[in-house]
Amino acid sequence: MRRIGIDLGGTGIKVGCVSQQGEILSKVSCPTLAERPYEQVIDDMANLARAAAAQANVDFADIASVGVGIPGVEDVRTGLVPFCNNLGWRDVPLRAALKERLGKQVYVANDATVAALAEHVAGAGKGYDNLVLITLGTGVGGGVILNGEPFVGAHGVASEVGHMTIQMDGVLCNCGNRGCWERYASATALIREGREAIKSAQGSMIVRAVDGDPDKITAKTVIDCAKAGDPVAVRLFEEYAYHVGLGLANLVSAYDPDIFLLGGGVSAAGDFLLDEVRKTLKKRVFYQDMPYAKVELAILGNDAGIIGAAMLRG
Amino acid sequence: MRRIGIDLGGTGIKVGCVSQQGEILSKVSCPTLAERPYEQVIDDMANLARAAAAQANVDFADIASVGVGIPGVEDVRTGLVPFCNNLGWRDVPLRAALKERLGKQVYVANDATVAALAEHVAGAGKGYDNLVLITLGTGVGGGVILNGEPFVGAHGVASEVGHMTIQMDGVLCNCGNRGCWERYASATALIREGREAIKSAQGSMIVRAVDGDPDKITAKTVIDCAKAGDPVAVRLFEEYAYHVGLGLANLVSAYDPDIFLLGGGVSAAGDFLLDEVRKTLKKRVFYQDMPYAKVELAILGNDAGIIGAAMLRG
């Protein structure tokens, strides 16, 4: 049994033929060129799907299903994609259009949900039926598996946990609200705080690392300097990780999963991140005497998009 | 098919025989006397279960199951109740002890979960498979139904949403953290803010209503004065309802339910509360163009405990 997984991003379309166990057998891709009419983007997705099957020496007739991970959501009631970050899509009938082109059952889900499913089937979440994947990147994304199934809620918008308020009067978010978790737990937050901190940290390692130029600070700068023991960077990173852990404690109260998996750019900090996050979570979970979720790193990286999409079911 | 529902509270044990449709056929009760050894409390629960069946003219042999709603949680892995608010219980084998006494399948769940199940089967949540019940009382409790089933998470502690952080550096909570939703959305919060507000509101209706004595303020005082148009009380209540709505927006991001039901003491404010909460929710949900959960009042009141407990399944 082979399936096709499509990872639709703002810049590229990546498509793979995937085994039942979540192994990628072939991979093809092309640029998204999002400014085109959506029909052309979907044409390319369909062509890549056939190419991926061919490259894996699989007769397309034997493909069991096609799944797509999108930087947006599908409205589960209409089957339309009301919008897609960076693609400018409005009410695109992605599922129907792709089904028409390929003659296969097509499933569509948010990219973070898809990544969580990939980790559940073939990654660090194997064996855990209740799993929450958090991506710490430009924003904070959430993908949730409950009872072994992707959880998307009644309207398809569940698990958008980066926009949970953790500080009512806090930092303004581009969603229009204040104090979203994303404003404190994303790479963007780490960079913002880093830029602010070096203004008053003359002579510290982190200032030297960017030649005193705040615009040169990346999440990696902060992490590397913190790992090297720079007190300014250590304080920044600990505060950042505290905010990550605080949000996870909220998610224990909501989902009580078996395990959290951390992915996205900042997760490259590895154990350094995990240690701090676990410390905060331990302090903040409500039921101090009950077992609660482990925190580990996601392991599938960029392949999660293709693998998870291929694993989508009805 | 008849079932027994047991509502175990800190002051009373209420037991009913309940039809398959969630209709209460008989009701019996006794004081909890929580300071007794737990075995005696469980003896009383068992005796009341038999009495409730007898009073409904049902042969106890025909009772299909026994469910208990508790002010605590059951550890789903051990089957023990690690603690129960106001009962002083530690690791009580409630399920096993009651099964031994009654020879029936016994199910145990948190009282808010049980109340949500009752509303789902026989109350304001009928026809909605994804439902979140929020009780606005001394604290803020949450009961969650997903795909028509009570949702308790991997360890049994999901839906403890009153302790989600909404203001990291906010009001200290008795759980030890700061800024829990409960500190802003409970009746306790409304009273606290009312006491504070009347210090500088000489001559206003709310001050006259309590003869200037802050200790006389209740949630009802604030609600009544706000309904009567007292500007101080209106401001208090609007701020309170804003905090309720803000928390619900967080829960849309987590659960994306079909419907929220508001119960507990403050829900007596009715439409006055609903209007304000809906206004905030509309403003704060992340996907502004997607449908999202309705907000309505729970309708089963105190009976929800018995009905929902009877509806528990394995």
Side-chain angles (χ1 to χ4, degrees):
Chain A
M1 185 85 86
R2 304 291 186 243
R3 300 175 187 276
I4 296 292
I6 303 178
D7 180 358
L8 174 64
T11 54
I13 305 169
K14 291 180 285 183
V15 181
C17 184
V18 179
S19 77
Q20 193 69 3
Q21 290 72 40
E23 191 193 352
I24 296 183
L25 308 172
S26 67
K27 229 192 288 197
V28 293
S29 63
C30 76
T32 307
L33 308 174
E35 60 287 358
R36 300 181 285 173
Y38 72 80
E39 290 87 350
Q40 294 178 19
V41 176
I42 297 175
D43 283 341
D44 276 355
M45 291 164 75
N47 292 336
L48 288 174
R50 292 184 189 280
Q55 193 178 303
N57 291 317
V58 176
D59 189 338
F60 198 75
D62 295 334
I63 292 293
S65 67
V66 176
V68 192
I70 61 172
V73 291
E74 184 183 54
D75 185 327
V76 294
R77 301 186 181 203
T78 63
L80 301 177
V81 175
F83 35 71
C84 239
N85 294 340
N86 314 321
L87 268 79
W89 284 11
R90 298 294 296 182
D91 292 326
V92 170
L94 173 59
R95 186 190 282 242
L98 207 50
K99 186 176 177 181
E100 194 191 315
R101 283 162 177 77
L102 294 174
K104 299 285 176 188
Q105 200 61 50
V106 175
Y107 305 108
V108 176
N110 177 260
D111 48 15
T113 302
V114 157
L117 181 58
E119 296 287 344
H120 170 62
V121 173
K126 254 187 181 170
Y128 297 103
D129 270 354
N130 296 281
L131 172 164
V132 176
L133 171 77
I134 300 296
T135 55
L136 307 169
T138 310
V140 171
V144 177
I145 304 293
L146 299 180
N147 299 319
E149 302 285 338
F151 176 69
V152 301
H155 313 88
V157 304
S159 85
E160 198 54 76
V161 295
H163 292 278
M164 298 182 93
T165 304
I166 62 164
Q167 181 77 6
M168 293 186 283
D169 59 5
V171 179
L172 190 64
C173 185
N174 33 25
C175 76
N177 289 330
R178 283 190 178 276
C180 293
W181 186 30
E182 171 165 307
R183 292 274 70 74
Y184 298 87
S186 59
T188 313
L190 193 53
I191 294 164
R192 180 192 71 228
E193 294 300 318
R195 286 183 180 161
E196 193 55 36
I198 70 163
K199 289 182 190 165
S200 53
Q202 269 75 34
S204 72
M205 182 193 296
I206 189 168
V207 173
R208 294 195 308 273
V210 296
D211 304 322
D213 180 358
D215 289 345
K216 286 191 185 161
I217 285 192
T218 63
K220 192 171 181 309
T221 322
V222 182
I223 292 164
D224 288 348
C225 291
K227 279 187 176 170
D230 175 50
V232 176
V234 166
R235 187 183 55 72
L236 279 170
F237 191 77
E238 285 180 355
E239 176 129 330
Y240 168 82
Y242 165 75
H243 291 143
V244 174
L246 184 148
L248 294 190
N250 275 5
L251 298 183
V252 166
S253 289
Y255 299 121
D256 178 24
D258 293 301
I259 191 166
F260 289 108
L261 297 177
L262 303 183
V266 184
S267 70
D271 285 337
F272 191 48
L273 172 69
L274 291 179
D275 289 347
E276 288 298 323
V277 168
R278 288 174 185 149
K279 214 189 291 175
T280 299
L281 189 57
K282 187 179 163 69
K283 245 187 279 181
R284 293 193 73 98
V285 290
F286 180 65
Y287 289 106
Q288 287 282 327
D289 297 333
M290 297 272 286
Y292 60 90
K294 298 179 208 203
V295 187
E296 300 290 348
L297 299 174
I299 57 174
L300 295 176
N302 290 332
D303 286 342
I306 290 175
I307 297 170
M311 295 298 137
L312 288 171
R313 300 283 184 283
Chain B
M1 187 82 88
R2 305 291 187 243
R3 299 174 188 276
I4 295 292
I6 303 178
D7 180 357
L8 174 64
T11 55
I13 305 169
K14 290 180 286 184
V15 181
C17 184
V18 179
S19 77
Q20 193 69 1
Q21 289 73 39
E23 191 193 351
I24 296 184
L25 307 173
S26 67
K27 227 193 287 194
V28 292
S29 64
C30 75
T32 307
L33 307 175
E35 61 286 358
R36 299 182 285 173
Y38 72 79
E39 290 87 351
Q40 294 178 17
V41 176
I42 297 175
D43 284 341
D44 276 355
M45 293 164 73
N47 293 335
L48 288 173
R50 292 185 189 278
Q55 192 178 304
N57 291 316
V58 176
D59 188 339
F60 199 75
D62 295 335
I63 293 293
S65 67
V66 175
V68 192
I70 62 172
V73 292
E74 184 184 54
D75 186 327
V76 295
R77 300 186 181 203
T78 63
L80 301 178
V81 175
F83 35 70
C84 238
N85 293 340
N86 315 319
L87 269 78
W89 284 11
R90 297 296 296 182
D91 292 326
V92 171
L94 174 59
R95 187 189 281 241
L98 207 49
K99 187 176 177 184
E100 194 192 315
R101 283 162 176 77
L102 294 173
K104 299 285 175 187
Q105 200 61 52
V106 174
Y107 304 109
V108 175
N110 177 260
D111 47 15
T113 302
V114 158
L117 182 57
E119 296 288 343
H120 170 61
V121 173
K126 253 185 180 172
Y128 297 102
D129 270 355
N130 297 279
L131 172 166
V132 177
L133 170 76
I134 299 296
T135 55
L136 306 168
T138 311
V140 170
V144 177
I145 305 293
L146 298 180
N147 300 320
E149 302 285 340
F151 175 68
V152 300
H155 313 89
V157 304
S159 86
E160 198 54 74
V161 296
H163 292 279
M164 299 183 89
T165 304
I166 63 164
Q167 182 75 6
M168 293 185 282
D169 58 5
V171 179
L172 189 65
C173 186
N174 33 26
C175 78
N177 289 329
R178 283 189 178 276
C180 293
W181 186 30
E182 171 165 308
R183 292 275 69 75
Y184 298 88
S186 59
T188 313
L190 194 53
I191 295 166
R192 179 193 70 228
E193 294 300 319
R195 286 183 181 162
E196 192 57 34
I198 69 164
K199 288 183 190 164
S200 54
Q202 269 75 34
S204 73
M205 181 192 297
I206 189 170
V207 174
R208 295 196 306 274
V210 296
D211 304 321
D213 180 358
D215 289 344
K216 286 191 185 160
I217 285 192
T218 64
K220 191 169 181 311
T221 321
V222 182
I223 293 166
D224 288 346
C225 291
K227 279 187 175 171
D230 176 52
V232 176
V234 166
R235 186 184 55 70
L236 279 169
F237 191 76
E238 283 180 357
E239 175 129 329
Y240 168 82
Y242 166 75
H243 290 143
V244 174
L246 184 148
L248 294 190
N250 275 5
L251 299 184
V252 166
S253 289
Y255 299 122
D256 178 24
D258 293 300
I259 189 168
F260 288 109
L261 297 177
L262 303 184
V266 184
S267 70
D271 285 337
F272 191 49
L273 172 69
L274 291 180
D275 290 347
E276 287 298 321
V277 168
R278 288 173 184 148
K279 215 189 290 175
T280 300
L281 189 57
K282 187 179 163 71
K283 244 185 278 178
R284 294 193 73 99
V285 290
F286 180 66
Y287 289 106
Q288 288 282 326
D289 298 334
M290 297 273 285
Y292 61 89
K294 299 181 208 197
V295 187
E296 300 291 348
L297 299 174
I299 57 172
L300 295 176
N302 289 332
D303 285 344
I306 290 175
I307 298 170
M311 296 298 137
L312 288 170
R313 300 282 183 287

